[in-house]
Amino acid sequence: MSTAITFSEYGGPEVLTLSEVPVPEPAPGQIHIRVRAAAVNPIDVRIRAGIMQDAFPAEFPHLPGWDVAGVVDKVGEGAGFAVGDEVFGVASAGGYSEYALLDRPFAKPRQLSFETAAGMITVGTVAEQDIERVDRLGATAARYGEGWAERVKGAAPSGVDFVLDACGAGVLAESVTLVGDAGKVITIADPSFARHGVRFTGMDPKDRFPEALPQPT
């Protein structure tokens, strides 16, 4: 058995409990890792609170946690990794546990810590102190909040082609207006996606672009 954090009802942090769960076995193409770090990001909070039931309904008891990094200790047939490899990726059956399964693992860049690797998989926004770094990478930061759409227009005077919402800050309606087509807007965080006619990434495999994950920064 493996020690894990699970919940058996929707709610706040108080529904999380320390539990014992079976140690999973890797299927063909999967790897089994000993988890060294697991990220807590907004999608985990929203799933636990029950506000993402339309996209990701939970079966109780539910083992949460998408983003993990760790060391391979078992390999499914054809997975392409070896015991001892350092990897990161999205846990297929929950990552808040001593062990996890990964369907599409990626080799962890040597310069990244396990904590950093686990924290970069799903989350897509930056903090105030990172804005200068974003600028150096060639992107232009636009702060969320009142006036957001006008700031985006100022940063992209020739127009906006697509919008990826990584914050869930209530900008989907303005995003559709900016691009003129709900089909060109996708979110990883806003549970109101269906109301605006936009897609929620992860529900359809073609909306995922995991190949970018192992690229060094």
Side-chain angles (χ1 to χ4, degrees):
M1 299 293 283
S2 171
T3 301
I5 296 173
T6 66
F7 61 89
S8 294
E9 60 179 319
Y10 292 122
E14 69 279 357
V15 303
L16 297 172
T17 60
L18 200 61
S19 308
E20 292 293 314
V21 299
V23 176
E25 289 292 327
Q30 288 184 324
I31 63 166
H32 183 273
I33 69 168
R34 176 177 283 276
V35 176
R36 292 284 300 273
V40 179
N41 63 50
I43 189 64
D44 296 316
V45 175
R46 290 181 171 92
I47 291 174
R48 188 203 66 219
I51 63 177
M52 294 302 302
Q53 294 183 56
D54 289 342
F56 301 105
E59 294 184 8
F60 302 129
H62 183 75
L63 174 59
W66 283 16
D67 305 343
V68 296
V71 179
V72 177
D73 69 351
K74 294 181 183 179
V75 180
E77 182 181 354
F81 284 85
V83 172
D85 286 347
E86 297 182 352
V87 298
F88 71 129
V90 177
S92 62
Y96 292 0
S97 179
E98 291 181 278
Y99 300 96
L101 294 175
L102 277 68
D103 291 319
R104 300 190 70 182
F106 300 94
K108 182 180 73 65
R110 189 170 299 176
Q111 67 269 37
L112 294 184
S113 68
F114 286 103
E115 292 80 5
T116 299
M120 67 181 289
I121 299 167
T122 303
V123 180
T125 57
V126 298
E128 191 76 20
Q129 63 267 24
D130 296 318
I131 289 179
E132 289 186 7
R133 180 169 182 267
V134 169
D135 289 337
R136 291 197 302 271
L137 290 171
T140 301
R143 292 174 176 82
Y144 286 102
E146 187 176 352
W148 170 82
E150 294 305 316
R151 288 191 288 275
V152 171
K153 289 178 182 177
S158 60
V160 177
D161 295 320
F162 300 93
V163 173
L164 166 61
D165 168 43
C167 189
V171 299
L172 294 186
E174 291 177 307
S175 298
V176 173
T177 299
L178 280 171
V179 301
D181 181 356
K184 295 181 178 180
V185 179
I186 193 168
T187 180
I188 68 170
D190 196 324
S192 68
F193 66 97
R195 188 163 70 247
H196 300 284
V198 307
R199 291 170 294 156
F200 193 99
T201 183
M203 295 181 69
D204 187 328
K206 70 175 181 293
D207 289 335
R208 290 182 157 183
F209 299 95
E211 287 75 13
L213 286 176
Q215 295 179 9
T217 58

